[in-house]
């Protein structure tokens, strides 16, 4: 990572249109990227179930019925590159700023992003309208 400039913050929004709009306000000290909506979900089909749990009786349900219905979250194949790009960008950020929508879906996306990215920098919430 030598030579890469550290950003004051990585701002994650839900859509590319919002990313363009917000980056215009924040300037070059902030990198603004879009999650393109949800980044994790329950498996949609048997091929998405991880091999480590495929033989478990509950795996086809997407929740572990033996562990208080713990959800089995996966990153869908169409989101893997987005997640990789977000993780790479986070390596060059001094803080993570979540700017997902204020509705339940936006809050869910923000929660999943933190769970998945496991930031080692401060996490803040940004609200805009």
């Amino acid at each position: 990572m030598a030579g890469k400039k550290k950003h004051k913050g990585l701002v994650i929004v839900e859509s590319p249109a919002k990313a363009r709009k917000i980056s215009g306000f924040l300037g070059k000290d902030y990198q603004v990227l879009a999650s393109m909506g949800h980044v994790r979900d329950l498996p949609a089909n048997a091929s998405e179930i991880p091999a480590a749990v495929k033989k478990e009786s509950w795996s086809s349900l997407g929740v572990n019925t033996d562990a208080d219905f713990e959800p089995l979250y996966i990153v869908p194949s169409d989101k893997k590159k987005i997640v990789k790009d977000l993780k790479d960008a986070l390596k060059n950020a001094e803080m993570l700023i979540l700017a997902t929508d204020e509705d339940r879906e936006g809050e869910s996306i923000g929660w999943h992003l933190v769970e998945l990215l496991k930031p080692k920098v401060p996490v803040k919430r940004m609200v805009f309208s």
Side-chain angles (χ1 to χ4, degrees), residues 31-91:
Q31 184 175 13
V32 185
L33 297 175
S35 71
M36 307 298 286
H38 291 277
V39 291
R40 289 198 315 182
D41 206 345
L42 300 175
N45 55 53
S47 68
E48 291 183 340
I49 299 171
V53 296
K54 203 169 200 100
K55 293 190 192 279
E56 299 290 337
S57 61
W58 53 264
S59 66
S60 64
L61 297 174
V63 294
N64 185 342
T65 55
D66 298 330
D68 292 327
F69 295 87
E70 180 182 338
L72 175 63
Y73 291 121
I74 56 102
V75 176
S77 58
D78 64 333
K79 296 293 181 154
K80 289 187 188 286
K81 183 180 181 330
I82 292 166
V83 169
K84 182 189 178 314
D85 292 346
L86 293 173
K87 284 182 176 183
D88 289 346
L90 187 55
K91 291 176 187 174

Side-chain angles (χ1 to χ4, degrees), residues 28 58 71 105 107 123:
K28 63 181 172 136
W58 53 264
E105 185 176 22
E107 292 298 325
V123 178

